[in-house]
Amino acid sequence: MSLIGAYLLLSAIALVGALAGGLAVAMRVAPYRGTNPDLPLTTRLAIFATTVVAALPLLAVFLGLIDMAGLATYGLLALTLGAGALMLIVPPERLPRSEPAILAALAVAAICAAATLFSASVQLRDARNRVHRACGAATDTILAERACRAHVDSVLSLPEGIEAP
């Protein structure tokens, strides 16, 4: 799999998980939006637990790409965070308020987080390592190799003049 293909696969899985997690949080807090009630402790704990599980896709992206400091990494982190928060702008009356729907959305988020971390990020790392090896083989100095690797991590492609493996 190519580097861009692996990145797109990871992105798609993470974004689906973020949307599902955001939907779960939106459904959980829908009855309380726009009001300032004194919530019971069990409700506060349910909202907290839902938010923690809903954030798993974002955490999986972060852990899967922690060593890829570049525009592609920061862009995917921002997109995943935005996708989760996007659901909070859905009007509360349009959201179902049933517990099975919330649990199903959380299950999708957790499954997507696991797929992101244990499958898609592994494929991305393998593709990235192949391209990094091509950088090492095509450059003469350590500084040029580091610059090539930084370019790969930022743009997800080899610089001009370097052949793909």
Side-chain angles (χ1 to χ4, degrees):
M1 179 177 283
S2 72
L3 183 59
I4 291 179
Y7 179 81
L8 291 176
L9 176 67
L10 179 118
S11 301
I13 294 170
L15 290 174
V16 166
L19 285 170
L23 180 61
V25 171
M27 286 188 287
R28 176 73 72 203
V29 300
Y32 314 106
R33 264 201 270 169
T35 64
N36 194 7
D38 189 20
L39 300 177
L41 181 60
T42 55
T43 303
R44 288 176 192 232
L45 288 176
I47 291 171
F48 176 75
T50 303
T51 305
V52 167
V53 176
L56 289 178
L58 180 66
L59 181 64
V61 169
F62 175 73
L63 291 175
L65 301 178
I66 196 168
D67 61 338
M68 273 184 77
L71 182 63
T73 302
Y74 300 134
L76 182 55
L77 283 170
L79 275 175
T80 308
L81 182 62
L86 181 67
M87 290 297 155
L88 292 173
I89 65 170
V90 175
E93 59 274 3
R94 299 181 131 244
L95 293 168
R97 296 185 184 164
S98 65
E99 198 64 28
I102 293 171
L103 294 177
L106 287 176
V108 169
I111 290 168
C112 287
T116 297
L117 191 58
F118 299 115
S119 177
S121 69
V122 171
Q123 292 176 20
L124 179 67
R125 286 181 191 284
D126 290 344
R128 181 175 164 239
N129 286 338
R130 281 194 308 274
V131 176
H132 277 191
R133 282 193 298 275
C135 282
T139 54
D140 297 332
T141 65
I142 294 207
L143 289 176
E145 182 178 348
R146 285 184 187 161
C148 179
R149 288 179 180 211
H151 183 274
V152 166
D153 288 350
S154 292
V155 187
L156 299 177
S157 66
L158 287 167
E160 291 288 324
I162 296 180
E163 294 293 321

